[in-house]
Amino acid sequence: MPHLQRYRYHVVDDPRAHEEALGPETVRDTLRGFGEPEADSAEEAPEPAIEFHSPASAARFYLSEMLQEQPQPELRSVVREDRPDRVPDLALLDERTQEATATTIVRFEQTHDEIPVFGTAAIVEVDRGNRLVSLDCRLGEVGGVSPVPELGGTDALARVADLTGTPIDAEELPPPALTYVNHHDEWRLAWHLRDVPAQPPEAHRTDDQRGHGLDPSPRDDFPLTGYLVDASTGEVLWSYGMTPTATAVVPVSLEGDDERSVHHRFHGSEQAGFYLLEDRRGQITTYDLQYADCAQGNLPGTALASRNANLGGDHRAGVSAHVNAARVSGFYREELRRNGIDDASMGLVSTVNCTYRRRGTPRQEWRNAMWWRRRMWYGQISDGDRLVSLALHLDIVAHEITHGVIETSSGLVYQDESGALNESLADTMGVIIANWYEAADRHDVGTWTWHIGAGLGPGGSPLRDMRDPTTTGDPAHMDQYVHTPHDNGGVHQNSNIHNKAVYHLLTSTDASGNPLLGVDQWALLVYLAMLRLLPLSGFQDMRKALHAVTKTYLMGNAALRASVASAVDDAYGRVGVRADAPG
């Protein structure tokens, strides 16, 4: 897709920085040669000290200083010559503080003529003193294209409707937005259409084509697709799959049995004599759809309710979903320091006893679970004389919720290799979180299970196996990468290549055979690297992101940092993800 230039920097790689974050004056001195005297310097007044009022203002300064010195015009183009401190062609998206590294990540998107440039991003990491730690950007020099569209957004949507053969109601979609995109080394002005519930014909999945391995869902039959449509010619340039995409309240103690008959205590609330699966303090709410069709997208008026604070075995599906949602939310909050799914206090909503009736005759069994419309939906499978909710599978719960984390952080495009990375990171967090709560010894990976969706695949097999992807017929090396128009470019199959790399990483040992890092530390590094990814990042980008966060996280421990970096290289090298692949 877009041809963009990549630039990365980290103070650990700069021998002149001595592994210390760089302040603004030091950055300027670094670019001038670290202290080399300038002509007539004795006659010039010293430059005033530079102060920043926010991480964002510091990030803009460092980008302008670093980018204007780069040889590639694509990188220099975002810096305005008359006011280089402004970096005008980068629009602030967000800034997030990370306690584990005591740094703040500031994320920008490139614009040109105030129009976004598709696939671009710039990430700057600063410490608590707003000093530079690292930066990573993918940028382009837009030129040779008019900012004035000849085709309206409604007309662009009509071209997509013609291509897909699907009627599309513009009123139900986000408004079309103009964007620049580099298409086959030529810049185009395009309409960016998002959340379109229609796929191009070649992407349609039939029942015999592999996807996630579960029953079809509304996410399969009503897939959300992004389109780029040339704003002059109406040509559909590209399509891609879109990611499936605290209050001061005293909680009420509830209890009940899950789908495995394990008794749990958990938080809820009380209202008019009913006890609700609504933990307002933890922002965890669970609804019961009572086997209605989830494609309607509607929730009941209240959370799942019981006359008794002890639900017993009457609401096993709801208890399973509520408890597992709290576990996933708790892991992200306590181990990874993330404030909700979106890191901005977003509540976690789950819905159990869902059906999907578009395919086949109406039935209560629906073998699926999904993150869709910013909440969780759970189906159920038959187990003898009763239905068992998929909410009992903590790895599936964590996998799907992680799609929400990715959707609200790096925004990995759900197509081809970036989509496979999206799926793999969801698998990774699913396996880590499930074993964190369910393994015999959470700190000993020798006691872990590496299956995703145990028993949910054909003949009782797992959906995927991180330790040995070949057991489920999936690729385990880049030499086996599957090129297909189906399943958004084979995202579920190709994810296993990266899964295998993560398995090598989590099981890595030092020379004495001891774990190189604790699994909680590996989980943190994977998570921090995930936040540094750009929308079109692939496996090699994840390898580099892990190197970058390792440099920050272990900045004061050169020996361990080198060992971890070596483990990253070994893990990715063993699955054919090269260090020198194009960025």
Side-chain angles (χ1 to χ4, degrees):
M1 256 306 284
H3 176 71
L4 305 168
Q5 284 291 334
R6 193 69 175 270
Y7 174 63
R8 296 181 174 95
Y9 172 86
H10 199 289
V11 294
V12 168
D13 299 323
D14 188 341
R16 300 168 298 182
H18 306 294
E19 297 193 12
E20 296 181 357
L22 302 181
E25 290 83 5
T26 308
V27 167
R28 284 188 168 170
D29 287 344
T30 300
L31 297 174
R32 291 171 180 167
F34 247 125
E36 294 180 4
E38 301 178 37
D40 302 324
S41 60
E43 301 176 6
E44 295 180 358
E47 295 183 356
I50 302 171
E51 295 183 359
F52 304 120
H53 300 292
S54 69
S57 62
R60 287 187 183 278
F61 171 84
Y62 295 128
L63 278 168
S64 97
E65 290 293 312
M66 304 296 273
L67 294 181
Q68 66 183 306
E69 298 297 324
Q70 302 308 310
Q72 301 95 328
E74 293 89 347
L75 300 174
R76 296 197 310 270
S77 66
V78 300
V79 183
R80 200 170 71 189
E81 293 183 0
D82 60 329
R83 289 290 304 279
D85 57 303
R86 296 293 299 277
V87 197
D89 288 340
L90 291 176
L92 177 66
L93 294 179
D94 59 48
E95 57 180 69
R96 303 281 173 87
T97 298
Q98 300 174 340
E99 295 182 18
T101 55
T103 59
T104 296
I105 300 296
V106 186
R107 183 181 294 264
F108 300 91
E109 177 183 51
Q110 184 183 357
T111 63
H112 180 73
D113 296 325
E114 300 185 355
I115 296 173
V117 182
F118 184 81
T120 60
I123 298 174
V124 184
E125 181 183 16
V126 297
D127 70 4
R128 288 174 176 166
N130 286 328
R131 294 170 296 189
L132 176 65
V133 176
S134 71
L135 61 85
D136 184 2
C137 54
R138 179 182 273 133
L139 305 168
E141 184 182 23
V142 180
V145 58
S146 169
V148 180
E150 299 179 17
L151 186 79
T154 302
D155 294 326
L157 194 59
R159 299 296 176 93
V160 171
D162 290 340
L163 172 70
T164 62
T166 304
I168 301 172
D169 186 353
E171 296 296 326
E172 297 182 358
L173 303 181
L178 288 171
T179 187
Y180 289 109
V181 61
N182 189 296
H183 185 66
H184 300 312
D185 291 328
E186 178 185 4
W187 284 103
R188 307 275 195 99
L189 179 68
W191 285 106
H192 188 189
L193 310 176
R194 293 159 295 161
D195 296 344
V196 179
Q199 287 181 306
E202 66 273 13
H204 289 172
R205 192 185 106 176
T206 60
D207 291 339
D208 61 341
Q209 289 165 350
R210 298 189 59 187
H212 47 60
L214 299 174
D215 281 351
S217 73
R219 202 171 69 193
D220 299 314
D221 288 333
F222 303 99
L224 299 182
T225 303
Y227 288 90
L228 297 174
V229 181
D230 192 295
S232 296
T233 67
E235 176 188 1
V236 178
L237 303 176
W238 198 52
S239 67
Y240 64 94
M242 301 198 72
T243 305
T245 51
T247 56
V249 177
V250 178
V252 174
S253 179
L254 306 181
E255 56 186 293
D257 298 339
D258 69 8
E259 290 286 18
R260 292 191 173 97
S261 297
V262 177
H263 196 72
H264 296 274
R265 295 185 183 276
F266 46 88
H267 290 140
S269 62
E270 187 271 336
Q271 180 178 322
F274 285 91
Y275 296 92
L276 308 179
L277 292 191
E278 181 182 30
D279 177 4
R280 297 175 185 173
R281 186 176 66 177
Q283 295 185 284
I284 308 291
T285 307
T286 304
Y287 293 87
D288 187 344
L289 209 59
Q290 298 182 343
Y291 306 110
D293 190 346
C294 63
Q296 305 303 316
N298 300 320
L299 294 180
T302 61
L304 192 156
S306 170
R307 281 288 188 185
N308 301 306
N310 186 344
L311 284 70
D314 294 339
H315 299 282
R316 296 174 184 271
V319 170
S320 296
H322 201 71
V323 169
N324 281 337
R327 286 172 165 176
V328 176
S329 179
F331 186 88
Y332 271 106
R333 181 180 62 253
E334 296 163 15
E335 303 301 326
L336 305 180
R337 299 296 188 263
R338 187 173 183 84
N339 179 22
I341 302 307
D342 63 349
D343 205 17
S345 300
M346 173 182 171
L348 180 50
V349 175
S350 302
T351 310
V352 299
N353 294 326
C354 302
T355 60
Y356 180 50
R357 302 182 178 181
R358 184 170 184 265
R359 298 196 183 189
T361 58
R363 58 191 175 103
Q364 291 185 338
E365 186 175 3
W366 179 52
R367 296 176 65 259
N368 212 322
M370 61 180 178
W371 174 264
W372 187 51
R373 297 182 178 180
R374 298 173 70 84
R375 59 179 67 113
M376 282 300 305
W377 307 79
Y378 296 101
Q380 46 285 323
I381 59 178
S382 177
D383 182 17
D385 59 351
R386 73 182 186 93
L387 294 170
V388 177
S389 175
L390 268 70
L392 73 88
H393 294 275
L394 180 54
D395 57 336
I396 297 295
V397 177
H399 169 107
E400 293 296 335
I401 292 174
T402 298
H403 278 311
V405 173
I406 296 169
E407 178 184 89
T408 56
S409 56
S410 57
L412 281 169
V413 172
Y414 200 67
Q415 185 73 33
D416 302 324
E417 193 170 321
S418 58
L421 180 57
N422 190 321
E423 277 295 322
S424 177
L425 292 172
D427 277 351
T428 297
M429 299 311 298
V431 165
I432 289 174
I433 292 173
N435 282 288
W436 188 256
Y437 291 99
E438 298 178 345
D441 181 351
R442 64 173 55 164
H443 297 293
D444 180 3
V445 293
T447 70
W448 280 27
T449 177
W450 298 93
H451 292 164
I452 297 96
L456 296 178
S461 64
L463 297 175
R464 289 176 293 284
D465 184 345
M466 292 187 70
R467 176 160 45 195
D468 184 4
T470 64
T471 62
T472 54
D474 291 306
H477 194 277
M478 287 299 291
D479 290 345
Q480 303 156 351
Y481 190 95
V482 178
H483 297 276
T484 173
H486 305 295
D487 189 31
N488 299 106
V491 296
H492 288 93
Q493 288 177 274
N494 292 319
S495 64
N496 290 275
I497 299 170
H498 191 264
N499 281 356
K500 181 67 172 179
V502 174
Y503 169 78
H504 290 317
L505 204 62
L506 296 178
T507 57
S508 59
T509 59
D510 60 19
S512 300
N514 298 314
L516 191 59
L517 289 178
V519 292
D520 52 337
Q521 292 177 295
W522 279 125
L524 181 61
L525 290 180
V526 169
Y527 168 71
L528 294 176
M530 182 170 73
L531 300 185
R532 284 163 167 75
L533 297 174
L534 309 183
L536 295 174
S537 290
F539 301 158
Q540 189 253 1
D541 293 304
M542 184 63 185
R543 173 177 178 162
K544 291 187 176 182
L546 280 166
H547 275 296
V549 299
T550 297
K551 292 169 186 173
T552 303
Y553 184 63
L554 299 174
M555 190 179 293
N557 191 333
L560 181 57
R561 186 176 69 241
S563 296
V564 171
S566 178
V568 171
D569 287 338
D570 177 71
Y572 281 81
R574 290 169 70 177
V575 300
V577 177
R578 300 180 4 244
D580 58 349

